[in-house]
Amino acid sequence: MLRNRFGKVVAGAAAGAMLLAAAACGGGDTTEGAPSAAPSGGASAPAASGVKVGLAYDIGGRGDQSFNDSAAAGLDKAVAELGVEINELEAGNGEAESAKEERLRLLASGGFNPVIAVGFAYSASVAKVAAEFPDTKFAIVDDEANKLPNVSNLVFAEEQGSFLVGAAAALKSTKGSIGFVGGVEVPLIKKFQAGYEAGAKAVKPDIKIQAKYLTQPPDFTGFGDPAKGKTAAEGMFDAGADVVYQAAGGSGAGVFEAAKAAGGMAIGVDSDQAKTADPTVADVIITSMLKKVDVAVFDFIKSFTTNSVQAGSKVYDLAAGGVDYSTTGGKVDDIKAQLDEYKAKISSGEITVPKE
């Protein structure tokens, strides 16, 4: 779902000129304030399709083992399978709205089309910059506010996936007490909490659920502060919880550390974090709520290459394979039948999961 989503800020006109020149070339070095070089997916070869994709990450950027890395996986797949050329820019903690605007503007004015903004924090900036570049196709992940004819809104039924891991938490808990750590208290993350609590209570109506948010908007550092995540989870384990679910981006690494130290269990988010977390803590992750940002990013890029991009919202829900739960490590194999029963009922509409 998130990580250091605010990393490279334009510093003055000279830096802006350098950025624009690099963007126009479809690459650059990885120095502060410059577009990043092609990732390991390999964008240095000539693009077979001639399509140049620009992507602006949220806090944490590529390497956050969560939300941004899922977007990066979709981008890498587009490089490998569609032959697109790419350029990636990162955000910086606590940056001004103008920095987000400039990041998108640099990509669009540098000839990148389409341009993808990863995260709802780009909502206002996408609205402004997309209006300035009506011939450029934009996509934004996790935001439906923009209704411009050149903006596609890639959104997810996070509450449905969270219901499944909430059920898993309740089924695995031996203490009847579980926790939820949210990065920032915004409507999007409240969806994760609502689904998680609904799933847990479907299994055990009297289960105790502790919840804590690391920061309040406009402070979005809660998505990139592992120390805060660890402290919040430590408090929950100390208060009797034995499973904690985190929807906190980079801060989730601290939740895993706390679970390891407490001999507890943790639930990851967005990516299959049993595969991506530090190996020293990966064994505490019993499952992860999978949010297929990679699928949405790749689908959008592919639709651009086939001239079939559609503006407006596209919802990736459980029935569409947009959300799910992971089984890496076999820690939920014993309850998989029960989780899959809930999954079928949600997909069919028999169970409606609350969003708040």
Side-chain angles (χ1 to χ4, degrees), residues 58 74 80 97 103 114 156 172 198 221-222 260 266 268 294 304 308 341:
D58 202 342
E97 189 68 40
R103 186 173 303 115
F156 299 82
K172 284 294 185 179
T221 60
K260 182 73 172 183
D294 56 331
F304 182 88
S308 57
E341 183 177 352

Side-chain angles (χ1 to χ4, degrees), residues 22-295:
C25 295
D29 60 35
T30 56
T31 55
E32 186 72 11
S36 60
S40 58
S44 58
S49 67
V51 172
K52 297 170 63 177
V53 181
L55 187 142
Y57 288 111
D58 202 342
I59 300 176
R62 180 186 280 267
D64 74 345
Q65 302 175 356
S66 186
F67 180 71
N68 288 290
D69 270 358
S70 186
L75 190 66
D76 291 346
K77 183 178 180 181
V79 170
E81 297 187 13
L82 305 177
V84 300
E85 182 180 348
I86 65 173
N87 195 22
E88 305 165 85
L89 297 178
E90 293 187 7
N93 261 329
E95 70 180 9
E97 189 68 40
S98 59
K100 299 182 188 68
E101 292 176 12
E102 186 64 10
R103 186 173 303 115
L104 299 175
R105 192 173 288 113
L106 286 169
L107 291 169
S109 62
F112 289 87
N113 186 16
V115 173
I116 303 168
V118 182
F120 64 85
Y122 282 98
S123 181
S125 295
V126 167
K128 185 172 183 178
V129 178
E132 295 173 9
F133 295 89
D135 295 328
T136 298
K137 299 294 186 183
F138 288 80
I140 182 167
V141 178
D142 283 348
D143 178 68
E144 292 188 275
N146 293 288
K147 302 300 181 183
L148 294 173
N150 59 329
V151 176
S152 299
N153 313 92
L154 311 179
V155 295
F156 299 82
E158 294 93 351
E159 73 282 358
Q160 294 181 354
S162 294
F163 182 104
L164 298 178
V165 298
L171 288 166
K172 284 294 185 179
S173 176
T174 60
K175 296 183 177 181
S177 178
I178 61 176
F180 172 82
V181 175
V184 183
E185 191 168 5
V186 292
L188 173 66
I189 307 304
K190 296 288 279 187
K191 287 172 64 180
F192 287 81
Q193 180 186 354
Y196 179 66
E197 293 181 350
K201 289 178 180 178
V203 174
K204 295 179 182 177
D206 60 346
I207 195 166
K208 179 180 179 182
I209 305 173
Q210 304 175 56
K212 182 175 179 59
Y213 287 88
L214 304 181
T215 61
Q216 298 290 323
D219 180 1
F220 288 92
T221 60
F223 290 135
D225 194 332
K228 283 184 179 177
K230 183 176 182 179
T231 298
E234 284 174 340
M236 293 177 180
F237 287 117
D238 289 345
D242 53 0
V243 186
V244 175
Y245 173 38
Q246 64 86 12
S251 300
V255 174
F256 302 150
E257 291 176 8
K260 182 73 172 183
M265 295 171 278
I267 296 175
V269 74
D270 295 332
S271 301
D272 186 350
Q273 293 195 287
K275 294 180 177 179
T276 62
D278 189 301
T280 62
V281 298
D283 63 322
V284 305
I285 303 171
I286 60 172
T287 186
S288 295
M289 195 287 278
L290 302 178
K291 180 175 172 179
K292 307 293 185 65
V293 180
D294 56 331
V295 173

